[in-house]
Amino acid sequence: MPQSRSNTDFVCNSKDEQDVFNILGIVYGSALFLGFMNCSILQPVVAMERVVLYREKAAGMYSTMAYAIAQVPININDQHVLGKSSCSDRNNRLGTDYEPKVYVLQVSVELPYMLVQVLIFSSIVYPMIGFQLTAGKFFWFFLYLVMSFMYYTLYGMMTVALTPNIEIAMGLSFLIFIFWNVFSGFIIAREVQHPTYELVEKWIESISELMKSPNLTK
Amino acid sequence: MKPNQSMYLMSEVKLLQMMPVWWRWVYWADPAAWTVYGLMFSQLADRTEKILVPGLGEQTVRDFLEGYLGLQDRYFELVTCLHLAIIGLFAFLFFLAIKHLNFQRR
């Protein structure tokens, strides 16, 4: 083999800072790429689901689930005035019993998909990178990937819900992803903050050097 | 160590110091940066092997993470909690938006 060290060598037997940067690159890739993909694949599906929701809502099948979260107190209050409720009220209340399930379903239907995806991905990638095969570290890796998938998925769903159509939703999410990408700590390394006076000193110094330089006078 | 390698690193360090301080908060407004932080820190923070860092000599992996990449011990729990918080926030905004906004066209 032309290479003197294999991948598995890397964490067990680090040689220089390049090895750490390799790991950083893998981590960056797995934290961003899969999430982006998942989010953009999911958006058209969620947009379709919303159209279906509008239709069902108009047909009186159920109303919105946010009742379940935002209007819990209101529903509790309604219970007290059950006696004098009108027919439409009763229908509405009947509906709200079923409503929560719809949106909880929409979020939780992503969960098994996400978990299986992360499980497959991490069980292949984790030993390939050469990370230590201990339960604790694998758990952290798995947990962080699941959480990252979860916010990407919910972010995709949120942008669809916030915008009138899928094109705007995709544009918005890609715009934000550019910022997430650039400032994720890989492209521009995140480093410990330098005191401001140090920066000022540096600027003053460089300007004074420039003034002194013969290039300027010639 | 090759000389051009160390020069590259030094110039990079210089460039980073030029980045205005007031842009630093963006790292903390970025969920992807939290994930990278959490993954890197959980995997490599307990490593104490020496690695060769151009310009700085031998350093432990942990010191390198802390000094160059800025991955510190004290923010690890915060980063984990931030993940859960942003999941909650996005879910809440999704519910809120789908309830109150109606983009239905007839």
Side-chain angles (χ1 to χ4, degrees), chain A residues 11 14-17 21 54 64 66-67 69 132 137 144 151 157 180 183 188 190-192 194 199 202, chain B residues 17 21 24 26-27 30-32 35 43 46-47 51-52 54 66 68-70 80 94-95 99 102-103:
Chain A
V11 183
S14 290
K15 294 276 161 44
D16 58 24
E17 39 97 47
F21 284 132
Y54 285 148
T64 47
Y67 280 154
I69 292 161
Q132 287 172 313
K137 284 196 167 182
Y144 268 105
Y151 70 69
M157 291 168 77
W180 286 9
F183 291 102
I188 306 172
R190 164 212 281 273
E191 32 91 70
V192 179
H194 294 268
L199 268 172
K202 208 145 253 158
Chain B
Q17 285 172 350
V21 180
R24 294 284 157 73
V26 182
Y27 286 123
D30 184 348
T35 308
Q43 294 300 323
D46 61 340
R47 316 297 305 218
I51 53 167
L52 189 66
E66 208 170 307
Y68 189 76
L69 298 176
T80 315
F94 169 70
F95 292 144
K99 177 174 182 281
N102 193 353
F103 295 110

Side-chain angles (χ1 to χ4, degrees), chain B residues 7-20:
Chain B
M7 269 169 73
Y8 169 72
L9 191 84
M10 294 317 262
S11 67
E12 197 185 2
V13 166
K14 213 154 208 167
L15 192 79
L16 283 171
Q17 285 172 350
M18 294 286 187
M19 192 171 88

Side-chain angles (χ1 to χ4, degrees), chain A residues 39-181:
Chain A
C39 179
S40 50
I41 289 167
L42 171 119
Q43 276 177 331
V45 179
V46 177
M48 275 308 287
E49 277 172 357
R50 189 173 63 168
V51 174
V52 173
L53 166 81
Y54 285 148
R55 189 186 162 277
E56 303 285 292
K57 218 162 110 180
M61 298 287 282
Y62 46 75
S63 61
T64 47
M65 125 133 254
Y67 280 154
I69 292 161
Q71 292 201 331
V72 168
I74 296 170
N75 284 338
I76 290 165
N77 284 340
D78 276 357
Q79 304 277 317
H80 295 302
V81 290
L82 203 92
K84 51 177 180 176
S85 61
S86 68
C87 184
S88 62
D89 264 358
R90 196 178 297 122
N91 280 345
N92 197 15
R93 190 171 305 115
L94 210 71
T96 48
D97 286 340
Y98 295 99
E99 282 153 26
K101 287 168 191 154
V102 178
Y103 282 105
V104 169
L105 200 76
Q106 199 172 342
V107 173
S108 61
V109 85
E110 303 291 341
L111 266 174
Y113 180 67
M114 230 154 26
L115 287 175
V116 168
Q117 220 176 342
V118 172
L119 192 67
I120 293 170
F121 178 79
S122 52
S123 61
I124 294 170
V125 166
Y126 190 87
M128 254 177 155
I129 297 171
F131 283 149
Q132 287 172 313
L133 289 170
T134 58
K137 284 196 167 182
F138 184 78
F139 165 76
W140 278 116
F141 189 81
F142 187 77
L143 179 77
Y144 268 105
L145 281 185
V146 166
M147 289 198 298
S148 121
F149 260 52
M150 228 150 149
Y151 70 69
Y152 274 114
T153 304
L154 283 164
Y155 179 75
M157 291 168 77
M158 186 194 74
T159 48
V160 169
L162 279 173
T163 52
N165 57 43
I166 181 75
E167 287 82 10
I168 297 175
M170 280 182 156
L172 178 69
S173 56
F174 268 91
L175 179 74
I176 300 293
F177 282 163
I178 289 169
F179 283 98
W180 286 9
N181 194 356

Side-chain angles (χ1 to χ4, degrees), chain B residues 76-93:
Chain B
F76 185 61
E77 283 89 1
L78 176 72
V79 160
T80 315
C81 293
L82 278 172
H83 272 88
L84 298 174
I86 201 129
I87 289 167
L89 177 76
F90 284 164
F92 182 65
L93 279 175

